[in-house]
Amino acid sequence: MSVTITTIAVTFLIMLAIMLLGMPIAAVMLLIAAVGGVLTFGWPLVESMGPVMWSVMNESLLTAIPLFILLGELMLRSGMADRMYAALSLWLERLPGGLLHTNIGSSALFAATSGSSVATAATIGTVAMPALNQRGYDKAKSLGSIAAGGTLGILIPPSVNLLIYGSLSETSIGQLFIAGIIPGLLLTGLFMGYIALTNKVSAEERAARPRLPLSQKLFALTALIPPALIFLIVMGSIYLGIATPTESAALGVVAALIIVAVRGQLSFAFFSRCFVQTARTTGMVLLIVLSAFALNVTLSLTGVAQTTTAWVTSLGISTTALLLLLVVFYLLLGMFMDVLSMMVLTIPIAVPVVVAAGVDPIWFGIFIIIMCELGMVTPPVGMNLYVVHGIRTDGGPFLDVVRGALPFTLIMVAFSLFLIAVPQVVTLLPQTMFGP
C-alpha cells in the first residue's frame, strides 16, 4: 500500500505530541503500531506481532544490555569510580582547569566500562562535586564539564545505545564498538583542550597546588588498573574473535566480580543494590526496544521506509546535504525527546535512507550516537543536565548547568561536521580489523 510523506509526517507528529503529554514512549509506540496495523491490514497483523516480540526477546544479542548495565553498577557500588577519580586528580590537577580535566578523564574511563551516559554523569558528579565545591571552582564550568563528560558514556565502547542501534539496524555490534574508540578519544581530547584554553592558572595558584612525589602519583595509578583490565577483556575478546558482544559482556561482569571479591566487598546487600537497579534499568530499556520492534512490523509492511527513501532520492540532494539536514533534525528533536526514544523512532526510517544515499551504516551509527550526546545536554529535555543539577547541594539555578554545558554542545556540533567531512575517522579501525 502506498504511503505518502504527509501521512508519515502526521504520524510522527502525533507520536511526538502524545509523548509530550507525558505518556510513556513504549506505550505510545505500541499504541501506534496496533492502531496503524488494524487500520491498514486488520486485526490479523496485530496478532502476528506476538511471534515477532517473542523472537526479539529470545535474541541473544539483547542479553548484553543487562550485562553491561550490571557491569556499570558493579563499578559504581564497589567504589572503583571514586578511586579512579582520586588517581586522575593527582595527575591532572596542575593543568589549566585542574579538576575540570579530571571530570572529563574520569568520565571517559568510566564510560569505557559502564555504557550509559546517565550513569557516567551521576557517578562522576557524585564523586567530583564535593572536591570542586571545596576548592571554589566556578559552578557553571564544574557542572557543564560533568554533564558533557557524561555524554561519553554512550560513545566510548561498550555502549548500550550502540547495542540498540546495532539490533535495530542489523549492524555488527563488534564493528560499532571498535568504530567508537577513535571518535570517543578525539571528543575527550577536544573537551580537555577547550578547558585548557579557557582556564588560566596564575603563578600563585600553581604554587598553592601541592607537588606530590612521583612515586606517590605512580602508586595512585594502580586504581586505574581494574577499569582498564575490564575494558581490555571486553574489547579484546571481541577484537580477537574469541567472544561475541554478549559473551564479552559476561566476561566483563565476571572480571568485575573477581575484583570486587578480592577487595572483600561482596555481600548480600551489595548484590541486592546492584541487581535491583540493573533490573529496573533493563526493564525500561527492553520494553522500549520491544515496542520499537512492534512498530517496525507495521512500518515495514506499510512501506514507510521505502516511501521515505524514494522521496529523499527524488529530491536530488547530495549525501553531505542530507547529513547536514539530519544534524539540524536531530538537534531539534533532541531538545524535546529523550535519546532512547529518539533512536528507536528514527533508526528504522533513517538507516535505509542514508544507506541508499551511500552512507556506511557503521559510520551512521556513530553519527547517531553523537546526535544523542547532543540531546543529553540540550534543554529542555537534556537528561544529563537534570542529573547533574540534581546532585548539587547548594540549590543554585538550573541555568548554571545549561550555561556550563553550552560550549561543549557547540564542540559536539562542530565534531559531527568534522566526521561528515572526514568519515575515515570512524571507519578506519573497523575496516582495518574486520575488512571493508
Side-chain angles (χ1 to χ4, degrees):
M1 177 179 290
S2 175
V3 181
T4 66
I5 294 300
T6 302
T7 303
I8 297 171
V10 169
T11 302
F12 184 81
L13 290 174
I14 291 173
M15 294 177 65
L16 182 59
I18 296 175
M19 283 185 288
L20 290 176
L21 292 175
M23 190 171 181
I25 175 62
V28 173
M29 288 190 292
L30 281 174
L31 177 64
I32 296 296
V35 173
V38 169
L39 293 178
T40 307
F41 296 101
W43 189 253
L45 176 63
V46 178
E47 292 179 333
S48 70
M49 289 181 181
V52 173
M53 294 183 178
W54 178 257
S55 64
V56 168
M57 288 297 99
N58 278 280
E59 175 59 53
S60 62
L61 176 63
L62 295 182
T63 308
I65 293 177
L67 288 172
F68 281 124
I69 294 173
L70 176 58
L71 180 55
E73 285 294 318
L74 291 171
M75 284 195 63
L76 170 61
R77 308 292 177 181
S78 65
M80 287 188 202
D82 302 63
R83 295 186 291 273
M84 180 176 63
Y85 188 90
L88 285 179
S89 67
L90 298 181
W91 286 88
L92 301 177
E93 189 177 13
R94 294 182 61 83
L95 296 175
L99 290 180
L100 302 182
H101 289 288
T102 310
N103 295 343
I104 302 297
S106 297
S107 295
L109 283 177
F110 190 80
T113 52
S114 75
S116 167
S117 244
V118 172
T120 301
T123 301
I124 301 304
T126 303
V127 174
M129 284 309 297
L132 292 165
N133 291 334
Q134 182 182 3
R135 303 186 192 188
Y137 278 79
D138 179 83
K139 293 293 183 184
K141 290 182 178 180
S142 299
L143 297 168
S145 65
I146 296 171
T151 64
L152 298 171
I154 59 174
L155 177 59
I156 297 177
S159 164
V160 171
N161 291 62
L162 281 175
L163 277 166
I164 294 172
Y165 173 84
S167 178
L168 291 174
S169 64
E170 298 182 354
T171 308
S172 167
I173 302 298
Q175 292 191 48
L176 286 169
F177 279 3
I178 297 297
I181 293 176
I182 293 180
L185 293 176
L186 285 177
L187 196 55
T188 301
L190 288 174
F191 286 170
M192 296 180 74
Y194 164 76
I195 290 172
L197 290 174
T198 55
N199 290 271
K200 305 299 181 184
V201 182
S202 66
E204 293 79 9
E205 288 177 312
R206 190 179 296 276
R209 294 177 181 177
R211 297 184 66 92
L212 298 176
L214 180 61
S215 58
Q216 184 176 343
K217 295 170 69 174
L218 290 174
F219 179 77
L221 289 179
T222 57
L224 306 184
I225 294 176
L229 181 62
I230 293 172
F231 176 79
L232 289 175
I233 289 174
V234 172
M235 296 307 298
S237 60
I238 295 175
Y239 169 61
L240 295 175
I242 61 177
T244 64
T246 301
E247 293 166 345
S248 70
L251 290 173
V253 169
V254 171
L257 286 172
I258 292 173
I259 292 170
V260 174
V262 169
R263 296 187 62 87
Q265 295 177 291
L266 290 184
S267 66
F268 178 80
F270 176 82
F271 279 125
S272 177
R273 289 193 297 269
C274 292
F275 290 153
V276 168
Q277 187 57 45
T278 298
R280 287 173 177 168
T281 306
T282 301
M284 178 270 293
V285 172
L286 289 184
L287 185 59
I288 292 176
V289 172
L290 182 65
S291 303
F293 273 97
L295 180 61
N296 286 350
V297 173
T298 299
L299 292 178
S300 61
L301 292 178
T302 52
V304 167
Q306 295 90 330
T307 301
T308 307
T309 302
W311 177 70
V312 172
T313 303
S314 69
L315 296 177
I317 61 176
S318 67
T319 301
T320 301
L322 172 62
L323 293 174
L324 291 176
L325 287 174
L326 286 175
V327 170
V328 176
F329 169 73
Y330 278 111
L331 185 60
L332 294 174
L333 194 61
M335 294 180 180
F336 304 101
M337 188 180 294
D338 70 271
V339 296
L340 189 55
S341 305
M342 187 168 69
M343 286 184 66
V344 297
L345 284 176
T346 61
I347 286 173
I349 298 175
V351 171
V353 171
V354 297
V355 170
V359 176
D360 187 329
I362 299 294
W363 180 93
F364 190 66
I366 303 303
F367 173 82
I368 285 281
I369 294 301
I370 294 174
M371 295 299 101
C372 289
E373 286 186 313
L374 281 168
M376 299 295 289
V377 289
T378 49
V381 187
M383 186 62 70
N384 276 20
L385 301 178
Y386 291 99
V387 168
V388 173
H389 179 67
I391 62 178
R392 66 188 301 187
T393 57
D394 60 355
F398 178 68
L399 186 60
D400 284 348
V401 195
V402 177
R403 185 161 49 89
L406 179 59
F408 297 99
T409 303
L410 298 177
I411 290 173
M412 283 187 274
V413 172
F415 187 64
S416 66
L417 300 180
F418 170 71
L419 292 186
I420 292 174
V422 192
Q424 294 82 3
V425 171
V426 174
T427 58
L428 176 63
L429 281 182
Q431 291 178 354
T432 301
M433 297 180 178
F434 296 94

PDB file of all heavy atoms in Angstrom, residues 1-3 33 36-38 40-42 44-49 52 293-307:
ATOM      1  N   MET A   1       0.841  -1.187   0.000  1.00  0.00           N
ATOM      2  CA  MET A   1       0.000   0.000   0.000  1.00  0.00           C
ATOM      3  C   MET A   1       0.882   1.245   0.000  1.00  0.00           C
ATOM      4  O   MET A   1       1.837   1.354   0.753  1.00  0.00           O
ATOM      5  CB  MET A   1      -0.926   0.003   1.235  1.00  0.00           C
ATOM      6  CG  MET A   1      -1.798   1.254   1.337  1.00  0.00           C
ATOM      7  SD  MET A   1      -2.871   1.196   2.789  1.00  0.00           S
ATOM      8  CE  MET A   1      -3.983  -0.106   2.278  1.00  0.00           C
ATOM      9  N   SER A   2       0.517   2.187  -0.853  1.00  0.00           N
ATOM     10  CA  SER A   2       1.308   3.413  -0.942  1.00  0.00           C
ATOM     11  C   SER A   2       1.079   4.283   0.293  1.00  0.00           C
ATOM     12  O   SER A   2      -0.036   4.500   0.731  1.00  0.00           O
ATOM     13  CB  SER A   2       0.910   4.174  -2.212  1.00  0.00           C
ATOM     14  OG  SER A   2       1.576   5.412  -2.250  1.00  0.00           O
ATOM     15  N   VAL A   3       2.142   4.768   0.812  1.00  0.00           N
ATOM     16  CA  VAL A   3       2.083   5.640   1.987  1.00  0.00           C
ATOM     17  C   VAL A   3       2.713   6.969   1.618  1.00  0.00           C
ATOM     18  O   VAL A   3       3.853   7.023   1.179  1.00  0.00           O
ATOM     19  CB  VAL A   3       2.847   5.008   3.171  1.00  0.00           C
ATOM     20  CG1 VAL A   3       2.765   5.920   4.395  1.00  0.00           C
ATOM     21  CG2 VAL A   3       2.269   3.646   3.503  1.00  0.00           C
ATOM     22  N   ALA A  33       1.576   1.271  16.748  1.00  0.00           N
ATOM     23  CA  ALA A  33       1.762   0.026  15.999  1.00  0.00           C
ATOM     24  C   ALA A  33       0.456  -0.738  15.886  1.00  0.00           C
ATOM     25  O   ALA A  33       0.094  -1.235  14.802  1.00  0.00           O
ATOM     26  CB  ALA A  33       2.826  -0.837  16.689  1.00  0.00           C
ATOM     27  N   GLY A  36      -2.235   1.498  13.876  1.00  0.00           N
ATOM     28  CA  GLY A  36      -1.842   1.539  12.467  1.00  0.00           C
ATOM     29  C   GLY A  36      -1.992   0.198  11.784  1.00  0.00           C
ATOM     30  O   GLY A  36      -2.423   0.114  10.629  1.00  0.00           O
ATOM     31  N   GLY A  37      -1.654  -0.877  12.506  1.00  0.00           N
ATOM     32  CA  GLY A  37      -1.783  -2.217  11.931  1.00  0.00           C
ATOM     33  C   GLY A  37      -3.221  -2.597  11.669  1.00  0.00           C
ATOM     34  O   GLY A  37      -3.551  -3.168  10.625  1.00  0.00           O
ATOM     35  N   VAL A  38      -4.104  -2.283  12.624  1.00  0.00           N
ATOM     36  CA  VAL A  38      -5.527  -2.617  12.463  1.00  0.00           C
ATOM     37  C   VAL A  38      -6.143  -1.818  11.324  1.00  0.00           C
ATOM     38  O   VAL A  38      -6.878  -2.362  10.486  1.00  0.00           O
ATOM     39  CB  VAL A  38      -6.283  -2.356  13.784  1.00  0.00           C
ATOM     40  CG1 VAL A  38      -7.791  -2.442  13.559  1.00  0.00           C
ATOM     41  CG2 VAL A  38      -5.862  -3.352  14.847  1.00  0.00           C
ATOM     42  N   THR A  40      -4.703  -0.533   8.760  1.00  0.00           N
ATOM     43  CA  THR A  40      -4.120  -0.819   7.443  1.00  0.00           C
ATOM     44  C   THR A  40      -4.377  -2.253   6.992  1.00  0.00           C
ATOM     45  O   THR A  40      -4.758  -2.490   5.835  1.00  0.00           O
ATOM     46  CB  THR A  40      -2.606  -0.574   7.477  1.00  0.00           C
ATOM     47  OG1 THR A  40      -2.359   0.744   7.970  1.00  0.00           O
ATOM     48  CG2 THR A  40      -2.010  -0.697   6.080  1.00  0.00           C
ATOM     49  N   PHE A  41      -4.182  -3.211   7.895  1.00  0.00           N
ATOM     50  CA  PHE A  41      -4.257  -4.614   7.493  1.00  0.00           C
ATOM     51  C   PHE A  41      -5.275  -5.432   8.284  1.00  0.00           C
ATOM     52  O   PHE A  41      -5.474  -6.604   8.005  1.00  0.00           O
ATOM     53  CB  PHE A  41      -2.880  -5.276   7.651  1.00  0.00           C
ATOM     54  CG  PHE A  41      -1.829  -4.693   6.754  1.00  0.00           C
ATOM     55  CD1 PHE A  41      -0.912  -3.784   7.240  1.00  0.00           C
ATOM     56  CD2 PHE A  41      -1.763  -5.043   5.412  1.00  0.00           C
ATOM     57  CE1 PHE A  41       0.059  -3.231   6.421  1.00  0.00           C
ATOM     58  CE2 PHE A  41      -0.799  -4.497   4.578  1.00  0.00           C
ATOM     59  CZ  PHE A  41       0.109  -3.592   5.074  1.00  0.00           C
ATOM     60  N   GLY A  42      -5.880  -4.826   9.281  1.00  0.00           N
ATOM     61  CA  GLY A  42      -6.847  -5.566  10.076  1.00  0.00           C
ATOM     62  C   GLY A  42      -6.221  -6.234  11.289  1.00  0.00           C
ATOM     63  O   GLY A  42      -5.001  -6.200  11.503  1.00  0.00           O
ATOM     64  N   PRO A  44      -5.544  -9.348  12.105  1.00  0.00           N
ATOM     65  CA  PRO A  44      -4.513 -10.396  11.971  1.00  0.00           C
ATOM     66  C   PRO A  44      -3.078  -9.868  12.084  1.00  0.00           C
ATOM     67  O   PRO A  44      -2.207 -10.578  12.582  1.00  0.00           O
ATOM     68  CB  PRO A  44      -4.786 -10.972  10.573  1.00  0.00           C
ATOM     69  CG  PRO A  44      -6.252 -10.745  10.378  1.00  0.00           C
ATOM     70  CD  PRO A  44      -6.541  -9.433  11.022  1.00  0.00           C
ATOM     71  N   LEU A  45      -2.830  -8.629  11.630  1.00  0.00           N
ATOM     72  CA  LEU A  45      -1.472  -8.092  11.738  1.00  0.00           C
ATOM     73  C   LEU A  45      -1.074  -7.937  13.200  1.00  0.00           C
ATOM     74  O   LEU A  45       0.049  -8.256  13.591  1.00  0.00           O
ATOM     75  CB  LEU A  45      -1.362  -6.742  11.025  1.00  0.00           C
ATOM     76  CG  LEU A  45      -0.007  -6.040  11.166  1.00  0.00           C
ATOM     77  CD1 LEU A  45       1.096  -6.874  10.533  1.00  0.00           C
ATOM     78  CD2 LEU A  45      -0.041  -4.642  10.573  1.00  0.00           C
ATOM     79  N   VAL A  46      -1.997  -7.445  14.023  1.00  0.00           N
ATOM     80  CA  VAL A  46      -1.697  -7.273  15.446  1.00  0.00           C
ATOM     81  C   VAL A  46      -1.416  -8.625  16.089  1.00  0.00           C
ATOM     82  O   VAL A  46      -0.503  -8.764  16.911  1.00  0.00           O
ATOM     83  CB  VAL A  46      -2.866  -6.555  16.155  1.00  0.00           C
ATOM     84  CG1 VAL A  46      -2.583  -6.427  17.650  1.00  0.00           C
ATOM     85  CG2 VAL A  46      -3.096  -5.174  15.547  1.00  0.00           C
ATOM     86  N   GLU A  47      -2.187  -9.635  15.699  1.00  0.00           N
ATOM     87  CA  GLU A  47      -1.956 -10.973  16.250  1.00  0.00           C
ATOM     88  C   GLU A  47      -0.584 -11.508  15.840  1.00  0.00           C
ATOM     89  O   GLU A  47       0.063 -12.230  16.602  1.00  0.00           O
ATOM     90  CB  GLU A  47      -3.059 -11.926  15.773  1.00  0.00           C
ATOM     91  CG  GLU A  47      -4.433 -11.607  16.356  1.00  0.00           C
ATOM     92  CD  GLU A  47      -5.504 -12.559  15.848  1.00  0.00           C
ATOM     93  OE1 GLU A  47      -5.327 -13.101  14.721  1.00  0.00           O
ATOM     94  OE2 GLU A  47      -6.500 -12.774  16.551  1.00  0.00           O
ATOM     95  N   SER A  48      -0.130 -11.141  14.659  1.00  0.00           N
ATOM     96  CA  SER A  48       1.168 -11.630  14.178  1.00  0.00           C
ATOM     97  C   SER A  48       2.333 -10.979  14.891  1.00  0.00           C
ATOM     98  O   SER A  48       3.468 -11.441  14.776  1.00  0.00           O
ATOM     99  CB  SER A  48       1.294 -11.383  12.670  1.00  0.00           C
ATOM    100  OG  SER A  48       1.432  -9.997  12.403  1.00  0.00           O
ATOM    101  N   MET A  49       2.077  -9.882  15.628  1.00  0.00           N
ATOM    102  CA  MET A  49       3.159  -9.217  16.350  1.00  0.00           C
ATOM    103  C   MET A  49       3.647 -10.042  17.534  1.00  0.00           C
ATOM    104  O   MET A  49       4.779  -9.871  17.982  1.00  0.00           O
ATOM    105  CB  MET A  49       2.707  -7.838  16.844  1.00  0.00           C
ATOM    106  CG  MET A  49       2.534  -6.812  15.745  1.00  0.00           C
ATOM    107  SD  MET A  49       2.041  -5.198  16.394  1.00  0.00           S
ATOM    108  CE  MET A  49       1.889  -4.264  14.877  1.00  0.00           C
ATOM    109  N   VAL A  52       6.689 -12.031  16.682  1.00  0.00           N
ATOM    110  CA  VAL A  52       7.811 -11.110  16.477  1.00  0.00           C
ATOM    111  C   VAL A  52       8.408 -10.688  17.810  1.00  0.00           C
ATOM    112  O   VAL A  52       9.629 -10.718  18.012  1.00  0.00           O
ATOM    113  CB  VAL A  52       7.360  -9.868  15.680  1.00  0.00           C
ATOM    114  CG1 VAL A  52       8.486  -8.837  15.612  1.00  0.00           C
ATOM    115  CG2 VAL A  52       6.922 -10.259  14.275  1.00  0.00           C
ATOM    116  N   PHE A 293      10.300  -2.705  17.990  1.00  0.00           N
ATOM    117  CA  PHE A 293      10.201  -3.792  17.015  1.00  0.00           C
ATOM    118  C   PHE A 293       8.745  -4.012  16.592  1.00  0.00           C
ATOM    119  O   PHE A 293       8.471  -4.317  15.421  1.00  0.00           O
ATOM    120  CB  PHE A 293      10.781  -5.081  17.601  1.00  0.00           C
ATOM    121  CG  PHE A 293      12.259  -5.212  17.387  1.00  0.00           C
ATOM    122  CD1 PHE A 293      13.152  -4.855  18.383  1.00  0.00           C
ATOM    123  CD2 PHE A 293      12.767  -5.692  16.195  1.00  0.00           C
ATOM    124  CE1 PHE A 293      14.521  -4.967  18.194  1.00  0.00           C
ATOM    125  CE2 PHE A 293      14.135  -5.813  15.983  1.00  0.00           C
ATOM    126  CZ  PHE A 293      15.015  -5.443  16.990  1.00  0.00           C
ATOM    127  N   ALA A 294       7.792  -3.849  17.525  1.00  0.00           N
ATOM    128  CA  ALA A 294       6.377  -3.972  17.158  1.00  0.00           C
ATOM    129  C   ALA A 294       5.996  -2.884  16.160  1.00  0.00           C
ATOM    130  O   ALA A 294       5.287  -3.136  15.175  1.00  0.00           O
ATOM    131  CB  ALA A 294       5.512  -3.875  18.416  1.00  0.00           C
ATOM    132  N   LEU A 295       6.469  -1.667  16.418  1.00  0.00           N
ATOM    133  CA  LEU A 295       6.192  -0.578  15.487  1.00  0.00           C
ATOM    134  C   LEU A 295       6.850  -0.833  14.133  1.00  0.00           C
ATOM    135  O   LEU A 295       6.284  -0.508  13.077  1.00  0.00           O
ATOM    136  CB  LEU A 295       6.691   0.747  16.074  1.00  0.00           C
ATOM    137  CG  LEU A 295       6.471   2.002  15.230  1.00  0.00           C
ATOM    138  CD1 LEU A 295       4.992   2.239  14.977  1.00  0.00           C
ATOM    139  CD2 LEU A 295       7.083   3.216  15.912  1.00  0.00           C
ATOM    140  N   ASN A 296       8.030  -1.436  14.158  1.00  0.00           N
ATOM    141  CA  ASN A 296       8.738  -1.722  12.908  1.00  0.00           C
ATOM    142  C   ASN A 296       7.963  -2.683  12.018  1.00  0.00           C
ATOM    143  O   ASN A 296       8.063  -2.625  10.787  1.00  0.00           O
ATOM    144  CB  ASN A 296      10.122  -2.298  13.200  1.00  0.00           C
ATOM    145  CG  ASN A 296      11.085  -1.245  13.694  1.00  0.00           C
ATOM    146  OD1 ASN A 296      10.790  -0.058  13.646  1.00  0.00           O
ATOM    147  ND2 ASN A 296      12.239  -1.670  14.189  1.00  0.00           N
ATOM    148  N   VAL A 297       7.213  -3.603  12.638  1.00  0.00           N
ATOM    149  CA  VAL A 297       6.396  -4.527  11.850  1.00  0.00           C
ATOM    150  C   VAL A 297       5.386  -3.739  11.015  1.00  0.00           C
ATOM    151  O   VAL A 297       5.242  -3.950   9.803  1.00  0.00           O
ATOM    152  CB  VAL A 297       5.668  -5.533  12.767  1.00  0.00           C
ATOM    153  CG1 VAL A 297       4.684  -6.375  11.959  1.00  0.00           C
ATOM    154  CG2 VAL A 297       6.670  -6.427  13.473  1.00  0.00           C
ATOM    155  N   THR A 298       4.688  -2.824  11.664  1.00  0.00           N
ATOM    156  CA  THR A 298       3.706  -2.002  10.949  1.00  0.00           C
ATOM    157  C   THR A 298       4.369  -1.119   9.900  1.00  0.00           C
ATOM    158  O   THR A 298       3.900  -1.002   8.761  1.00  0.00           O
ATOM    159  CB  THR A 298       2.915  -1.122  11.952  1.00  0.00           C
ATOM    160  OG1 THR A 298       2.222  -1.973  12.874  1.00  0.00           O
ATOM    161  CG2 THR A 298       1.917  -0.248  11.230  1.00  0.00           C
ATOM    162  N   LEU A 299       5.494  -0.491  10.285  1.00  0.00           N
ATOM    163  CA  LEU A 299       6.183   0.400   9.354  1.00  0.00           C
ATOM    164  C   LEU A 299       6.689  -0.339   8.123  1.00  0.00           C
ATOM    165  O   LEU A 299       6.589   0.161   6.991  1.00  0.00           O
ATOM    166  CB  LEU A 299       7.351   1.091  10.064  1.00  0.00           C
ATOM    167  CG  LEU A 299       6.999   2.097  11.162  1.00  0.00           C
ATOM    168  CD1 LEU A 299       8.256   2.657  11.791  1.00  0.00           C
ATOM    169  CD2 LEU A 299       6.122   3.219  10.617  1.00  0.00           C
ATOM    170  N   SER A 300       7.246  -1.533   8.333  1.00  0.00           N
ATOM    171  CA  SER A 300       7.805  -2.268   7.198  1.00  0.00           C
ATOM    172  C   SER A 300       6.716  -2.737   6.242  1.00  0.00           C
ATOM    173  O   SER A 300       6.884  -2.691   5.018  1.00  0.00           O
ATOM    174  CB  SER A 300       8.616  -3.468   7.703  1.00  0.00           C
ATOM    175  OG  SER A 300       7.792  -4.364   8.425  1.00  0.00           O
ATOM    176  N   LEU A 301       5.582  -3.194   6.786  1.00  0.00           N
ATOM    177  CA  LEU A 301       4.508  -3.691   5.933  1.00  0.00           C
ATOM    178  C   LEU A 301       3.776  -2.560   5.210  1.00  0.00           C
ATOM    179  O   LEU A 301       3.196  -2.772   4.140  1.00  0.00           O
ATOM    180  CB  LEU A 301       3.507  -4.498   6.760  1.00  0.00           C
ATOM    181  CG  LEU A 301       4.038  -5.837   7.305  1.00  0.00           C
ATOM    182  CD1 LEU A 301       2.986  -6.529   8.153  1.00  0.00           C
ATOM    183  CD2 LEU A 301       4.454  -6.751   6.146  1.00  0.00           C
ATOM    184  N   THR A 302       3.783  -1.372   5.791  1.00  0.00           N
ATOM    185  CA  THR A 302       3.140  -0.240   5.116  1.00  0.00           C
ATOM    186  C   THR A 302       4.082   0.475   4.161  1.00  0.00           C
ATOM    187  O   THR A 302       3.675   1.417   3.472  1.00  0.00           O
ATOM    188  CB  THR A 302       2.614   0.781   6.156  1.00  0.00           C
ATOM    189  OG1 THR A 302       3.673   1.128   7.051  1.00  0.00           O
ATOM    190  CG2 THR A 302       1.448   0.206   6.945  1.00  0.00           C
ATOM    191  N   GLY A 303       5.341   0.073   4.137  1.00  0.00           N
ATOM    192  CA  GLY A 303       6.286   0.625   3.174  1.00  0.00           C
ATOM    193  C   GLY A 303       6.793   2.011   3.504  1.00  0.00           C
ATOM    194  O   GLY A 303       7.193   2.772   2.610  1.00  0.00           O
ATOM    195  N   VAL A 304       6.814   2.361   4.804  1.00  0.00           N
ATOM    196  CA  VAL A 304       7.244   3.705   5.195  1.00  0.00           C
ATOM    197  C   VAL A 304       8.691   3.953   4.806  1.00  0.00           C
ATOM    198  O   VAL A 304       9.036   4.997   4.238  1.00  0.00           O
ATOM    199  CB  VAL A 304       7.061   3.903   6.721  1.00  0.00           C
ATOM    200  CG1 VAL A 304       7.783   5.161   7.189  1.00  0.00           C
ATOM    201  CG2 VAL A 304       5.580   3.993   7.061  1.00  0.00           C
ATOM    202  N   ALA A 305       9.569   2.996   5.121  1.00  0.00           N
ATOM    203  CA  ALA A 305      10.995   3.189   4.834  1.00  0.00           C
ATOM    204  C   ALA A 305      11.235   3.331   3.333  1.00  0.00           C
ATOM    205  O   ALA A 305      12.000   4.202   2.887  1.00  0.00           O
ATOM    206  CB  ALA A 305      11.804   2.025   5.391  1.00  0.00           C
ATOM    207  N   GLN A 306      10.570   2.492   2.551  1.00  0.00           N
ATOM    208  CA  GLN A 306      10.748   2.550   1.107  1.00  0.00           C
ATOM    209  C   GLN A 306      10.225   3.868   0.529  1.00  0.00           C
ATOM    210  O   GLN A 306      10.850   4.476  -0.352  1.00  0.00           O
ATOM    211  CB  GLN A 306      10.010   1.369   0.431  1.00  0.00           C
ATOM    212  CG  GLN A 306      10.578   0.011   0.798  1.00  0.00           C
ATOM    213  CD  GLN A 306       9.922  -0.576   2.034  1.00  0.00           C
ATOM    214  OE1 GLN A 306       9.478   0.158   2.919  1.00  0.00           O
ATOM    215  NE2 GLN A 306       9.888  -1.903   2.099  1.00  0.00           N
ATOM    216  N   THR A 307       9.074   4.319   1.038  1.00  0.00           N
ATOM    217  CA  THR A 307       8.500   5.574   0.560  1.00  0.00           C
ATOM    218  C   THR A 307       9.391   6.758   0.904  1.00  0.00           C
ATOM    219  O   THR A 307       9.626   7.651   0.071  1.00  0.00           O
ATOM    220  CB  THR A 307       7.102   5.787   1.181  1.00  0.00           C
ATOM    221  OG1 THR A 307       6.260   4.696   0.825  1.00  0.00           O
ATOM    222  CG2 THR A 307       6.488   7.087   0.684  1.00  0.00           C
TER     223      THR A 307
END
